[in-house]
Amino acid sequence: MISYGNSRIQEGQSSTYQEWFGAYTSARWTHVRDVIGRIYQNSVVAYRCDNENAYAYVYPSDTTHTIYCCRAFWTAPNAGGYDTKAGTLIHELSHFNNIGSTGDYAYGIDAARNLASSNPERARANADNYEYFCESLW
């Protein structure tokens, strides 16, 4: 999924890009392209879980890119649609400081789309927007 997302973002501006990251600017697109590229380059990660009440989480400063995937994570679909295991890994990878340093400013499909149209700068810094961009292409 991330390989395909990385290929598609290289194509430049598209309706899918605009859906998840808002109006095109060269600077914003370059930032998004670079974050997706770093996710693609760092897609080998370690998985653990220390908190059974969580879905998945990371410590953004962790350079080993450990993703804590907990019980609820394993019930998600592997791929095909939204809120998948693959999409969750993209979301979590984007949080690492040396990859995207994203936050969780909006959760869910509708909130992420609304963020893209109302505040594209915030959308490029929101983990769900990277997840949904890649999942929408798959």
Side-chain angles (χ1 to χ4, degrees), residues 38-60:
R38 286 190 296 272
I39 293 169
Y40 174 69
Q41 293 169 352
N42 290 283
S43 59
V44 176
V45 298
Y47 307 98
R48 300 176 42 181
C49 183
D50 292 341
N51 179 349
E52 287 301 319
N53 295 320
Y55 191 85
Y57 62 95
V58 300
Y59 294 102

Side-chain angles (χ1 to χ4, degrees), residues 71-135:
R71 188 181 321 262
F73 171 85
W74 302 106
T75 66
N78 290 329
Y82 293 104
D83 299 317
T84 65
K85 286 183 188 91
T88 299
L89 297 178
I90 290 166
H91 172 115
E92 295 302 334
L93 281 164
S94 78
H95 282 314
F96 288 109
N97 294 339
N98 63 353
I99 292 181
S101 199
T102 62
D104 292 317
Y105 303 108
Y107 275 120
I109 296 167
D110 291 339
R113 279 188 181 124
N114 289 338
L115 191 62
S117 62
S118 67
N119 191 341
E121 286 300 313
R122 182 66 77 179
R124 78 176 183 139
N126 189 55
D128 263 5
N129 289 71
Y130 289 90
E131 173 181 348
Y132 295 141
F133 172 79
C134 292
E135 286 177 330

